[in-house]
Amino acid sequence: MAGPVRGTPGWLRETNDRTALSLLLEHGVLTRNRIGELSGLSKPTAAQMVARLETAGLIHAVGEVSGGRGPNAASYAVRTDRMLGVAIDIDAEALRSTVVDASGEERPIAVTPLAGRSPEDDVRAAVDAACAAAGADADRVGAVCVGVQGALDPRTDELTYIETLPGWPKQGIRRRLEDALGLAVRIDNDVNLAALAERTDGAGRDTGGFALLWMGDGLGLSVDQGGTVHRGASGGAGEIGYLPIPHSAAELDADARDLQDLIGGPAVTALAAAHGLGADLTGDTDARDAFLLELARRVAVGVVPVLALLDPELVVLGGPTGFAGGPRLAELVTRELRPAWGERSVVATGVAAHPVLRGAREHLVGEVRDALFAEVSRIAP
């Protein structure tokens, strides 16, 4: 539906209402007078904006603020329960989900075991669990963002690299979920969503761009270019685990054929055990440092092609291994690279917990806010 013509009274009302809604989303609770001050509009205009938004059910009065000698002023906030989303992270064992509203505030995380259900039952169970944990109305959910250990081709709606999702079809999954659930569905690679979290809350926040090397059970690479993730023509960019290792790296592991063999989860676990460390890479301090030194040599093999092909401003080591290795692993990788590549910026992830879920949440905050602004357009004429 086309909006009001620019310069008309309807367009001016919509512009003002959007301004008021933006201020409330940014600042939280505000009075009408404060909205007027922040927007630079008159008190009568601010009062009209608030009245329209309140009548439409987009904001509501939440209390009063003392105005000194005169009557107390009503304070207002956005009705964040008006439209909701649910962020979902699926791995080989469970679905983690959380409710998302326009405020962006964190809600409880629900964990739903994978139990051989159909994809639509999996996602519905995750939505219901998230809403129950947050005390939210599932009927208010209009969108979900699902992070998967795989890739979705946007041209064909085809999933690839989905060995961890038994029972999920390769073809037509997004349309199937939307038709079954009546929700807008976005499916994205888990590492790409983790990069979104890294851009918003982590090590990539103040950079022009970065590469996130994800090291967990599997490997992945996500490239942020000025805030936009490069997904490739088929959505499969970053499957770095399949990259063969060079002959010069054979001394690190004679049996390794590709990067997955060298720094994937099973290889890291075996290397840690050889140094007497537990599965969480904890143990004796000297043994841990010796392990990290050996691991850094291996990780450097995976970073070199990233440097050669992309020359990123920053390389972030993420995933369970990157997080567990922390700044010390990043420091040792930097040292390994220095003789051939000079000073390169390699850092540990800045997202401490649930990076995939946080990335999905960041995406949905934008979706939910867009839906609220669309409501403003409908009330403007």
Side-chain angles (χ1 to χ4, degrees):
M1 181 179 68
V5 176
R6 186 178 182 85
T8 63
W11 173 84
L12 186 59
R13 285 194 296 271
E14 178 179 341
T15 300
N16 289 343
D17 291 351
R18 282 173 170 266
T19 298
L21 192 62
S22 296
L23 290 171
L24 286 164
L25 287 169
E26 179 182 357
H27 296 279
V29 178
L30 295 172
T31 64
R32 283 177 292 189
N33 284 349
R34 186 59 179 149
I35 291 172
E37 292 170 358
L38 291 171
S39 65
L41 298 170
S42 67
K43 290 181 180 179
T45 299
Q48 292 169 4
M49 289 153 51
V50 168
R52 284 193 295 270
L53 292 173
E54 186 176 21
T55 299
L58 296 176
I59 68 173
H60 60 149
V62 294
E64 293 184 341
V65 177
S66 174
R69 296 181 185 178
N72 292 343
S75 56
Y76 296 88
V78 175
R79 284 282 305 271
T80 54
D81 62 340
R82 176 74 177 258
M83 299 173 186
L84 302 174
V86 172
I88 303 172
D89 174 20
I90 305 179
D91 61 23
E93 298 177 351
L95 302 94
R96 290 167 180 80
S97 57
T98 188
V99 168
V100 181
D101 64 31
S103 73
E105 293 181 3
E106 294 193 27
R107 301 291 193 94
I109 295 173
V111 180
T112 308
L114 281 173
R117 295 174 289 250
S118 66
E120 46 266 49
D121 287 342
D122 283 335
V123 174
R124 172 52 67 189
V127 169
D128 290 344
C131 290
D137 183 355
D139 290 338
R140 296 285 187 179
V141 176
V144 296
C145 181
V146 185
V148 299
Q149 296 177 351
L152 180 71
D153 189 330
R155 304 166 303 181
T156 62
D157 196 15
E158 179 182 6
L159 275 175
T160 53
Y161 311 110
I162 55 168
E163 292 81 3
T164 59
L165 292 174
W168 281 53
K170 289 189 174 183
Q171 295 285 351
I173 181 60
R174 185 182 61 81
R175 182 182 296 275
R176 173 173 165 176
L177 289 174
E178 289 187 333
D179 290 345
L181 303 176
L183 304 173
V185 175
R186 179 184 179 87
I187 299 175
D188 206 346
N189 172 260
D190 55 352
V191 184
N192 287 340
L193 290 174
L196 179 55
E198 207 71 58
R199 161 63 69 178
T200 306
D201 297 321
R205 180 164 35 196
D206 298 320
T207 66
F210 63 91
L212 170 64
L213 178 60
W214 178 273
M215 295 177 289
D217 287 339
L219 301 179
L221 179 74
S222 185
V223 180
D224 173 291
Q225 298 172 314
T228 300
V229 172
H230 175 69
R231 291 178 168 81
S234 67
E239 294 294 339
I240 198 171
Y242 297 98
L243 194 66
I245 63 173
H247 291 298
S248 58
E251 64 181 23
L252 299 174
D253 186 337
D255 296 325
R257 294 292 178 266
D258 54 31
L259 283 180
Q260 175 66 29
D261 293 338
L262 195 65
I263 53 176
V268 173
T269 299
L271 184 63
H275 285 271
L277 303 180
D280 56 357
L281 310 187
T282 59
D284 177 78
T285 301
D286 290 340
R288 175 176 163 80
D289 208 54
F291 158 74
L292 289 177
L293 181 60
E294 190 169 347
L295 178 60
R297 296 191 185 105
R298 297 180 176 217
V299 173
V301 174
V303 173
V304 164
V306 177
L307 298 179
L309 292 174
L310 301 172
D311 190 24
E313 179 180 334
L314 185 72
V315 176
V316 181
L317 304 183
T321 300
F323 178 73
R328 179 57 175 164
L329 176 60
E331 175 190 349
L332 292 171
V333 172
T334 301
R335 184 189 302 176
E336 286 293 319
L337 294 169
R338 189 175 293 128
W341 293 90
E343 287 298 331
R344 294 287 180 154
S345 295
V346 180
V347 300
T349 176
V351 182
H354 305 294
V356 178
L357 204 58
R358 291 183 73 88
R361 187 166 66 83
E362 287 299 325
H363 168 77
L364 284 171
V365 167
E367 291 248 333
V368 172
R369 290 187 175 186
D370 285 347
L372 285 176
F373 285 121
E375 288 289 305
V376 172
S377 299
R378 281 190 276 273
I379 68 172

